Amino acid sequence: MRILVTGASGVVGTEVAERLAAEAIGASGADGPAAPALVRTARRAAGGDAGPVPWDIGAEPAPAPLTGRPWDVIVHTAASTRWTMTRQEATDANIRTLRAVLSLAGPDTHVVHVSTAYVGGVRAPEDLRGEEFEGYRNGYEWSKAACEEIVATEHRGPATIVRPPLVLGRRGDGRIGRFSGPYSLFPALVSGLAAVVVGDPDGYAEISPVDEVAEVIAGAALGTPPGSPRTEVISAGQDSMRLSDLVRITCDTLNAFRAEHGVDPIAQPPTVSTDSWNRFFLPLAGQWLSPVQQEAVKLLAMFQSYTSMSEPFEPTHKVTDPGGVMAASVLHWARSKPRQALGRTVPWTLIDAA
């Protein structure tokens, strides 16, 4: 079995490639089917026999090692996950790259496409960011929805769509290849830039450990291809954390780490409803907050609708004990970034912009 993994240097791609490589090693001396032959690609890669094949997908033709005959399985994890993309940027980053990858697939190639759980679910009117994204929160979601449609309708062979929620570190030790996305919340809480949390305290906050996301993807890649397009949703469902749980667990874990090092605890910020924030507090931000504080407000506003959903997702793969995953991820970040985790909290101060 020949398996191609794109985006093998990304958070999910790294974990998937490691798991598939381990499966190949484990199968190499066993009776039965031959071990899978794994090839990885990354936009920035040194190349060589052991490393990923360099390929800036969509911007340049596929390199020779990837062409010649169709792959048995293509696992497409490469994507831009930026929530600030314009429609054109999202098209170039995600839709055009998908089509380039599909050009390497044949009618028998099983395409395992990594999407996002936020393509589905309930979106409140205040979550939406304009008509250009057609009912989705941002360009990332919109492009991922378009990609799912392309895979389901244009690919001639079997297809599996995998939808993870916000991805955090491994369940056991919190390790992750790169701190991005939700990890920006942790230094904001320590520094005091996250002076308030905007959202519904009882809203659902869906997360998944990266190793379980990789497990679902690898299982699809190595399993029997589906007869029709299949969608896997990774979620804790009704057992998801609430926003209040997420903030409490994060602050408690940070404060336990700070106590071990003799540093004063941080205060858990109050929660303000999205409606109150947008109608009353946000209009004052431009006049009374410093430029750094305003940037923090914009950054944290992106998480509002992702951490206080009115309904959780319906899982096909159930995430258990998401609170434990959260605590392990926060602790790993703190141990990896002790200067930030042990930093001094500076309360918001108002300035007169007049």
Side-chain angles (χ1 to χ4, degrees), residues 1-6 12-13 15-21 23-24 33-39 71-77 108-114 158-162 212-226 230 232:
M1 178 187 291
R2 298 171 68 245
I3 302 177
L4 174 64
V5 178
T6 70
V12 173
E15 198 80 17
V16 170
E18 289 181 1
R19 183 172 289 267
L20 289 173
E23 293 282 351
L38 178 66
V39 176
W71 295 85
D72 295 309
V73 180
I74 295 177
V75 180
H76 184 44
T77 75
D108 296 321
T109 301
H110 180 192
V111 172
V112 181
H113 176 68
V114 181
T160 299
I161 304 295
V162 179
E212 292 186 17
V213 174
E215 178 185 356
V216 173
I217 295 169
L222 298 173
T224 302
R230 178 178 62 201
E232 299 282 0

Side-chain angles (χ1 to χ4, degrees), residues 193-206:
L193 287 176
V196 297
V197 174
V198 180
D200 177 4
D202 292 325
Y204 292 93
E206 289 272 24

